[in-house]
Amino acid sequence: MKTCPQAKIRKYARGIAKQSTTDISPSRSLVLDIPRIFNISESAHRIHNPFTPDKLATLGAALHLEAGSRVLDLASGSGEMLCTWARDHGITGTGVDLSRLFSEQARQRAEALGVAHQVNFIHADAAAYVSADKVDVAACLGATWIGGGVAGTIKLLAQSLRPGGIILIGEPYWRQLPATEDIAQACLAESIAEFLTLPALLASFSHLGYDVVEMVLANQDSWDRYEAAQWLTLRRWLDANPDDELAEEIRTRLATRPERYAAYIREYLGWGVFALMQR
């Protein structure tokens, strides 16, 4: 699931992670999903992070992907990365995501692009997934909560990676440090300490024993396409479901999020995908 981030969804994602470790009843598999608010707000998204199709294409080209390369995408959302890379570069891959809706959308996207024989999408908790066969690229874009943070997610991905393979991490960072904790919280962070600046984030990968070998960063335009595209989806859903139990929450979100986004998230929060190779 993306950057449910991915980025953006972290507050809710913490709740999912807590549930996944505390609710071990047999019925849990029947309700495995992300919070409904995100299935609604991002239902029209193909990319669940502040990335555009051009950014994904740039990333694929930068990695010099070869036909037949195996890619694992944990929290794969609606599968756009795997599907377009299968079409454009001939990769094969597996995506794992907690959202039933996004997993089904990923399968439909693979069919639409004619790559269903190359990519497979699994509805499951990515936090527990390790590939039986080693892959050339192991990715988690915008959902490092699955491993309890960046370090844990890199450790999880490394279990599926062949020697000399590439790990992809999508992660937020501060474009500028907030002056107060209130500003950080307005950016959907719990505190200033939750995110690093870009130089500090790059240094953190080095401290974990990885070389940063590529990066592709979101910009404000790609943030707009991720955030602003949700507002029309929310309005149309609200018009069609005025009596739904989430209607009040969505009405409040729609009334307040554009201003909050423009004042805080758009100005303070960056996001990027970082390609890592172990030393």
Side-chain angles (χ1 to χ4, degrees):
M1 156 187 64
K2 291 304 166 239
T3 204
C4 282
Q6 156 123 133
K8 82 266 187 189
I9 222 174
R10 282 176 178 252
K11 288 185 178 180
Y12 288 83
R14 290 188 194 95
I16 299 171
K18 182 178 180 181
Q19 180 186 18
S20 70
T21 58
T22 59
D23 181 2
I24 56 174
S25 63
S27 63
R28 183 174 187 272
S29 62
L30 300 178
V31 298
L32 187 68
D33 212 330
I34 64 174
R36 185 169 168 240
I37 182 67
F38 294 100
N39 276 328
I40 294 170
S41 63
E42 298 190 28
S43 60
H45 282 45
R46 283 183 176 164
I47 302 172
H48 302 277
N49 286 303
F51 245 28
T52 60
D54 286 348
K55 296 282 187 183
L56 274 183
T58 296
L59 179 62
L63 296 176
H64 304 290
L65 295 169
E66 297 181 356
S69 296
R70 300 180 302 277
V71 181
L72 173 67
D73 188 7
L74 298 186
S76 52
S78 295
E80 191 71 0
M81 184 178 79
L82 288 180
C83 289
T84 55
W85 286 4
R87 177 195 64 193
D88 297 340
H89 302 285
I91 63 101
T92 63
T94 298
V96 184
D97 200 87
L98 197 62
S99 169
R100 288 184 181 275
L101 173 64
F102 299 161
S103 297
E104 180 56 31
Q105 288 177 337
R107 297 184 191 103
Q108 293 174 4
R109 183 64 166 155
E111 291 285 352
L113 294 184
V115 296
H117 61 293
Q118 294 170 245
V119 292
N120 178 44
F121 294 98
I122 301 169
H123 171 243
D125 188 347
Y129 191 89
V130 175
S131 176
D133 299 314
K134 299 298 185 181
V135 301
D136 301 291
V137 178
C140 178
L141 308 189
T144 54
W145 56 270
I146 67 170
V150 170
T153 301
I154 289 174
K155 184 177 181 180
L156 172 63
L157 292 170
Q159 295 179 62
S160 299
L161 194 68
R162 69 163 177 81
I166 291 176
I167 286 176
L168 298 179
I169 291 288
E171 183 71 1
Y173 59 88
W174 292 123
R175 295 180 64 237
Q176 54 178 313
L177 277 175
T180 68
E181 294 292 349
D182 286 344
I183 293 175
Q185 290 166 14
C187 296
L188 306 185
E190 287 198 336
S191 67
I192 295 172
E194 180 167 358
F195 304 131
L196 301 172
T197 63
L198 181 57
L201 179 58
L202 296 175
S204 74
F205 297 135
S206 181
H207 295 157
L208 292 171
Y210 286 81
D211 291 321
V212 181
V213 296
E214 256 295 356
M215 71 178 186
V216 178
L217 303 182
N219 56 27
Q220 288 178 310
D221 288 341
S222 53
W223 265 107
D224 291 347
R225 291 303 84 229
Y226 170 67
E227 278 280 348
Q230 297 179 37
W231 307 337
L232 181 58
T233 300
L234 290 174
R235 174 54 193 268
R236 286 177 170 165
W237 182 92
L238 193 60
D239 288 346
N241 301 275
D243 299 320
D244 190 273
E245 62 182 2
L246 285 181
E248 182 177 354
E249 178 181 350
I250 288 178
R251 164 44 60 200
T252 299
R253 185 184 179 108
L254 186 57
T256 60
R257 185 60 172 259
E259 180 179 355
R260 179 183 187 180
Y261 165 68
Y264 298 105
I265 298 172
R266 193 176 194 271
E267 296 302 315
Y268 285 90
L269 200 58
W271 194 85
V273 179
F274 306 91
L276 314 175
M277 295 183 69
Q278 190 171 24
R279 294 194 186 114

